[in-house]
Amino acid sequence: MTGFRVREHRVEVPVDRADPHRFGTLEVFAREIVDPAKDADDLPLVLFLQGGPGGLSPRPLPGGGWWSTLLRTHRVVLLDQRGTGRSGRVDGVDVAAFDDAATAAAYLACFRADAIVEDAEALRRTVYGGRRWTTLGQSYGGFLTLTYLSRHPEALDACWVTGGLPPVGATAEDVYRATYPRQEARNRAFRRAFPDDGPALDALADRVAAGGVVLPTGEELTVERLQTLGMPLGMSTGVDALHWLLETALDRRGEPAHHLLADVAARTGFDANPLYAVLQEVIYHSGPREPGWAAAAEHARHPEFAADTRPLLLTGEAVFPWMYDQVPALRPFRGAAEELAARTEWPELYDVDRLAANEVPVAAVQYVDDPYVDLELALRTADGLGSSQVWITNEFLHDGLRVAGDTILPRLQDLTAGRWTVTSR
């Protein structure tokens, strides 16, 4: 198959289902793709639940991608989650239009997993006549999967999860406590793989710390922001991409090269996905919690990650308060982000009793060296999830679906179909 047929679907939904008149409505968008040779067939449906938060669904290209595997047997529905892509994308202009930070925070709180699942249900009932479908949840999409199983298991034939079993019952603080050591291990792996890059990174950090290094976007670069280049270290190409970036980081005068500064601005700027930053910790909050910034508190307990420590360690999938001052795309969100961090009551995202009694077949792959989703917390969730099997592997990192979908998806299908069984873990 070299191509696919595309259909576009739109469903209007309230922003706040608890108070439909408060923020009005938004249009949820989904793109359905199918093998043209099978378009007339009664194919089963797969709903792809994108990673994130704040990530729009894939824009598929002919001849490539994990969807090519699924299109042999399914129609694939690519949902732009609310606040992303063509589903009412949220950016700083929208948030700045609110009269106060508390109202802006209340608006942003409507973009979590519970609302996304209800959007998917509106799409399933309206467009697909209530047909059941299988979900494929990548990363944060696994969080959405368990919220879906908690609320509408009757809608689901099966669930496949790639690197994304959520830490049900754990807090954001628990997550960062578990993942900070994993990020340190990824830093060590980077320096082992490219021994010359460590000194180059430290020299670059020293020059940035001296001050006066300005990004093409106009703001001064800090070491803290430089450290966030470590976010992709959990991906299969993350170590290599960082190596190529550092290879020519400093020019002949010992100054940061212009191309480096442009790349840093793009990689750390959140212009394309501000909700990723704003909702990064919010996706974990379920029920009552202590207020505060979870990643910042854990960061303070790790002096080895301090900006003035050498060798310099790069941070991972974490968002810090200083970002709302230093990153232009995030500045409009500052007050709302503080309000969200201070909130102590959140709707429950998971029904642990319903998950324990679950009968929908669930197959998940979890990656041993993944610094974003802690393996032990994921397995604890699996222990409380009925009808589930977990395939544990060190063959891939967090983006296993992207780089090896043709290997991973058939195995998950075999698990839920009973053609393969994970015997132990």
Side-chain angles (χ1 to χ4, degrees), residues 280-300:
Q280 183 61 224
E281 296 190 4
V282 170
I283 65 173
Y284 295 106
H285 302 339
S286 186
R289 73 175 302 270
E290 293 297 318
W293 298 84
E298 186 62 28
H299 188 84

Side-chain angles (χ1 to χ4, degrees), residues 58 70 87 119 129 138 145 179 204 210 218 246 287 323 373 383 388 395:
L70 289 183
S87 293
D119 293 344
Q138 158 64 15
T145 299
T179 54
L204 175 61
L246 292 174
M323 291 179 173
V373 179
D383 287 340
S388 65
E395 298 172 83

Side-chain angles (χ1 to χ4, degrees), residues 69-410:
T69 300
L70 289 183
L71 289 178
R72 300 169 190 161
T73 53
H74 291 75
R75 297 180 189 271
V76 178
V77 180
L78 303 171
L79 172 70
D80 276 356
Q81 295 168 20
R82 56 168 50 204
T84 76
R86 294 170 64 181
S87 293
R89 184 183 185 277
V90 174
D91 60 22
V93 174
D94 303 304
V95 172
F98 287 104
D99 292 333
D100 57 79
T103 305
Y107 175 75
L108 293 168
C110 296
F111 290 79
R112 301 201 315 149
D114 45 2
I116 295 169
V117 165
E118 295 306 326
D119 293 344
E121 276 297 279
L123 179 72
R124 186 181 69 89
R125 292 192 300 267
T126 302
V127 174
Y128 295 105
R131 286 184 59 192
R132 292 194 301 179
W133 51 21
T134 293
T135 59
L136 168 60
Q138 158 64 15
S139 187
Y140 177 55
F143 292 45
L144 302 178
T145 299
L146 265 70
T147 299
Y148 217 144
L149 286 168
S150 294
R151 292 170 176 255
H152 299 287
E154 73 284 352
L156 307 173
D157 281 322
C159 299
W160 306 321
V161 177
T162 56
L165 284 176
V168 174
T171 64
E173 287 77 8
D174 295 329
V175 170
Y176 291 111
R177 190 176 303 115
T179 54
Y180 252 76
R182 292 184 180 274
Q183 182 66 13
E184 184 179 3
R186 294 305 300 156
N187 273 269
R188 291 196 301 269
F190 163 66
R191 288 180 178 254
R192 283 196 306 269
F194 300 105
D196 293 337
D197 286 357
L201 177 61
D202 293 341
L204 175 61
D206 290 341
R207 175 61 192 92
V208 171
V213 176
V214 179
L215 296 172
T217 42
E219 68 272 23
E220 184 170 348
L221 177 61
T222 64
V223 177
E224 292 94 340
R225 186 165 173 182
L226 182 70
Q227 286 178 284
T228 65
L229 288 175
M231 196 172 290
L233 288 181
M235 303 294 186
S236 59
T237 58
V239 166
D240 294 302
L242 182 59
H243 164 66
W244 296 126
L245 181 64
L246 292 174
E247 185 182 40
T248 54
L250 298 173
D251 63 21
R252 284 171 290 189
R253 301 168 299 153
E255 291 294 314
H258 180 77
H259 74 85
L260 170 92
L261 297 179
D263 209 335
V264 170
R267 293 189 189 201
T268 66
F270 295 100
D271 294 275
N273 58 342
L275 283 186
Y276 176 88
V278 177
L279 300 181
Q280 183 61 224
E281 296 190 4
V282 170
I283 65 173
Y284 295 106
H285 302 339
S286 186
R289 73 175 302 270
E290 293 297 318
W293 298 84
E298 186 62 28
H299 188 84
R301 285 190 277 271
H302 291 268
E304 66 273 19
F305 277 90
D308 58 356
T309 298
R310 303 292 181 271
L312 185 74
L313 294 184
L314 303 178
T315 54
E317 195 173 52
V319 171
F320 307 101
W322 59 260
M323 291 179 173
Y324 295 92
D325 294 321
Q326 294 187 24
V327 180
L330 297 183
R331 287 172 187 159
F333 293 89
R334 174 77 200 219
E338 290 176 340
E339 290 279 343
L340 292 172
R343 183 175 294 191
T344 58
E345 291 289 338
W346 290 88
E348 296 279 359
L349 294 174
Y350 310 111
D351 183 330
V352 294
D353 292 333
R354 179 170 267 187
L355 292 176
N358 172 62
E359 296 181 351
V360 178
V362 179
V365 57
Q366 291 295 140
Y367 312 119
V368 173
D369 299 317
D370 190 340
Y372 307 145
V373 179
D374 180 70
L375 180 60
E376 293 306 315
L377 292 178
L379 293 181
R380 189 186 307 170
T381 292
D383 287 340
L385 177 61
S387 193
S388 65
Q389 296 190 77
V390 183
W391 165 32
I392 302 169
T393 179
N394 62 359
E395 298 172 83
F396 315 108
L397 286 170
H398 192 70
D399 58 345
L401 178 65
R402 179 179 65 84
V403 301
D406 56 345
T407 297
I408 289 173
L409 288 172

